[in-house]
Amino acid sequence: MKIEQFEDKGLSHYSYAILSECENKIVLIDPSRDITPYLSYAKAHEATIIGVIETHPHADFVSGHLELQQVTGAVIYCSKLLGAEYAHQTFDDGDELSFGKIKLKALNTPGHSPDSISIVLEHNGQDKAVFTGDTLFIGDCGRPDLREQAGNLTAKREELAKQMYHSLRDKLLVLDDAVRVYPAHGAGTLCGKALSDANRSTIGAERAGNWSLQEMSETEFVQTLLEDQPFIPKYFAYDVALNKHGAPPLQPALAGVLAKKPVELNSEMFIIDARPEQEFKKGHLPGSINIQDGGKFETWLGSIIAPKEAFYLVAENEEKLKQVIGKAAKIGYEAFLEAAFVIDGGHEQMAELNFAHFAAHPEQYTIVDIRNEAEVKAQPVFRNALPIPLYELRERLAEIPFSKPIVVHCAGGYRSAAGSSIVANAFDSKTNVFDLSEAIKKFIS
């Protein structure tokens, strides 16, 4: 028996292949949209993928479960509460899937979502591992506030938080301390708030060190879980619905993207420019937003651009363009791409901030702090800054006065490249807009 963990660093996502070596059969858990790694793993082990388990309809990425079923003939397993719109086998409390010497046992563990399940792996008659989806993370548990308006079953965050309290204690903490814990996410995901950098653990280690498993009342737990949760990106509800239906196959979807510059660009559509900020500031096309290709490109694309909002995507070369189109597809946004093409500049530019003057006279600027609320609360930087989180910036531009030059900052420079470009699109003809960029580090210790 082997357990293979696959990691998507950009989305802090873990998926799994469980291999029965005696029967050469594989069951996958929570696969990414790109099914190539799983097919390659099966081929390398001369094994057949017989099943795909969805622990819940994911909000932060598009799953490849339906394409895997279409390509391999594997059965998809999920909770009956999910309301899946594809062919599937329900997998709830008491249900089991056996292959070789492995038995997979379903546990209904609502909390992150009403339809969440965890899967206990029994090998040779002994519980060896549990795949906890977004219920139990390493050092944390799943957030309960993503299903108030999404999915087959909706539920208030307070109700789900109470369910999480009991799922953790009544379903998972009763497992032996030696049982290994394999979650669907690691540090950096927006599906929790305080995850460890570790990619696996044990029930015993989590019992000792995970805040959500400590002795406390249900009321205390609910209050702690609900406070300071991160923001909810615009695309989350869309991906829940897409995963409930099943996404179209990836390669045909990518082939459908127009990968060349149109003769005429629609000025009503934003251009997502994925080039490095230095290149963007030297020259870009009108109506561009600088979301640099980096570790969190997918998250910020789906936080700034709303589902079903058509947009253009540009990069500095064909290789980079292919890469960012693929990242857009991870969250199902290839469907909204009007066109994607390579550019080497443009007539629009962003002026460089006179840092010495700004540092000496910050009161002569309108300073927009686009960090998240918790960041601003934990570490204020400029006394009179206007706090507007990046994910709300487009909707709150009218709150920004333009009687003075505008300086946009975040915590490290990545987000302010996007934020300053959004503000510049709205105000550049009325006042100068500057990106404080990495110079913010001179003000944050």
Side-chain angles (χ1 to χ4, degrees):
M1 189 266 293
K2 286 184 177 179
I3 298 173
E4 183 75 13
Q5 184 182 66
F6 301 83
E7 180 180 9
D8 183 325
K9 293 183 182 296
L11 292 167
S12 304
H13 166 227
Y14 300 129
S15 54
Y16 300 92
I18 303 167
L19 169 67
S20 167
E21 294 175 282
C22 62
E23 288 193 352
N24 292 332
K25 293 179 179 178
I26 292 172
V27 171
L28 302 174
I29 298 179
D30 291 334
S32 297
R33 186 172 188 186
D34 183 2
I35 69 172
T36 306
Y38 313 112
L39 299 180
S40 297
Y41 181 80
K43 183 177 181 180
H45 289 83
E46 298 181 341
T48 302
I49 298 172
I50 63 166
V52 180
I53 301 176
E54 289 286 284
T55 59
H56 64 292
H58 301 278
D60 57 320
F61 70 93
V62 174
S63 172
H65 56 288
L66 183 56
E67 184 174 5
L68 279 161
Q69 181 188 66
Q70 293 167 345
V71 170
T72 68
V75 176
I76 301 175
Y77 297 86
C78 62
S79 171
K80 62 185 177 184
L81 302 176
L82 193 153
E85 298 169 5
Y86 44 80
H88 65 282
Q89 175 69 47
T90 57
F91 202 54
D92 294 282
D93 277 341
D95 291 331
E96 298 177 349
L97 169 60
S98 297
F99 58 112
K101 299 176 183 177
I102 299 168
K103 182 186 291 183
L104 300 179
K105 302 179 288 187
L107 300 176
N108 288 105
T109 50
H112 174 67
S113 66
D115 40 32
S116 288
I117 59 173
S118 297
I119 301 99
V120 176
L121 184 155
E122 178 186 304
H123 187 244
N124 287 330
Q126 185 175 3
D127 290 345
K128 294 290 188 180
V130 59
F131 300 86
T132 54
D134 286 17
T135 299
L136 178 64
F137 295 134
I138 311 307
D140 197 8
C141 67
R143 65 190 298 174
D145 57 346
L146 299 182
R147 291 292 293 274
E148 293 189 315
Q149 298 178 358
N152 183 54
L153 292 175
T154 58
K156 294 295 183 183
R157 61 189 66 190
E158 293 82 7
E159 177 187 343
L160 282 175
K162 291 177 183 178
Q163 292 181 6
M164 178 67 82
Y165 177 84
H166 293 286
S167 290
L168 294 173
R169 285 155 180 77
D170 301 342
K171 296 293 185 72
L172 298 180
L173 268 183
V174 298
L175 298 172
D176 290 342
D177 281 354
V179 171
R180 287 171 284 170
V181 175
Y182 292 102
H185 290 293
T189 181
L190 290 176
C191 291
K193 62 178 179 178
L195 282 72
S196 164
D197 290 331
N199 62 357
R200 66 194 71 187
S201 185
T202 63
I203 289 293
E206 294 309 296
R207 189 193 309 276
N210 188 317
W211 76 266
S212 68
L213 301 181
Q214 302 312 300
E215 188 171 337
M216 67 184 86
S217 68
E218 180 187 275
T219 301
E220 290 174 311
F221 175 87
V222 169
Q223 180 179 350
T224 304
L225 179 58
L226 291 179
E227 66 187 12
D228 295 330
Q229 285 290 352
F231 71 97
I232 302 174
K234 292 180 173 70
Y235 79 94
F236 270 22
Y238 170 76
D239 275 16
V240 170
L242 182 57
N243 284 321
K244 178 174 172 285
H245 177 76
L250 178 59
Q251 293 307 319
L254 294 177
V257 174
L258 177 62
K260 67 178 182 178
K261 186 176 181 180
V263 176
E264 184 176 347
L265 297 176
N266 186 337
S267 61
E268 298 297 314
M269 296 180 186
F270 281 108
I271 301 167
I272 301 303
D273 191 327
R275 295 177 301 150
E277 63 166 308
Q278 298 87 350
E279 297 303 312
F280 178 86
K281 289 176 171 61
K282 288 178 186 176
H284 55 269
L285 299 175
S288 294
I289 298 175
N290 187 204
I291 306 178
Q292 300 171 83
D293 179 24
K296 294 300 173 187
F297 176 84
E298 303 95 320
T299 298
W300 286 113
L301 173 64
S303 300
I304 293 171
I305 299 296
K308 301 188 179 179
E309 178 181 4
F311 65 97
Y312 299 106
L313 181 59
V314 302
E316 63 268 39
N317 57 52
E318 293 292 346
E319 181 180 352
K320 280 288 187 180
L321 186 65
K322 182 179 179 180
Q323 183 172 307
V324 291
I325 293 173
K327 288 185 175 184
K330 287 183 186 180
I331 63 170
Y333 267 39
E334 85 289 345
F336 314 133
L337 263 172
E338 188 71 11
F341 51 95
V342 171
I343 65 169
D344 58 4
H347 297 303
E348 298 285 319
Q349 296 180 331
M350 286 192 70
E352 186 174 348
L353 175 67
N354 184 328
F355 179 78
H357 184 270
F358 172 76
H361 305 285
E363 73 283 354
Q364 294 183 18
Y365 299 80
T366 295
I367 303 173
V368 182
D369 184 343
I370 62 168
R371 295 177 298 161
N372 300 336
E373 292 178 18
E375 295 175 274
V376 175
K377 181 180 178 182
Q379 190 173 25
V381 182
F382 299 104
R383 186 177 59 183
N384 296 319
L386 179 62
I388 304 178
L390 175 57
Y391 55 89
E392 296 179 354
L393 189 57
R394 284 182 59 194
E395 293 75 27
R396 296 176 59 185
L397 287 168
E399 298 176 28
I400 304 174
F402 50 87
S403 55
K404 297 185 284 189
I406 299 170
V407 172
V408 179
H409 82 85
C410 59
Y414 179 83
R415 285 172 290 177
S416 64
S420 60
S421 60
I422 291 172
V423 176
N425 282 323
F427 295 113
D428 206 17
S429 61
K430 300 173 182 176
T431 187
N432 287 324
V433 177
F434 301 103
D435 175 13
L436 189 53
S437 191
E438 294 184 1
I440 184 61
K441 296 174 183 177
K442 298 179 181 178
F443 298 95
I444 298 179
S445 57

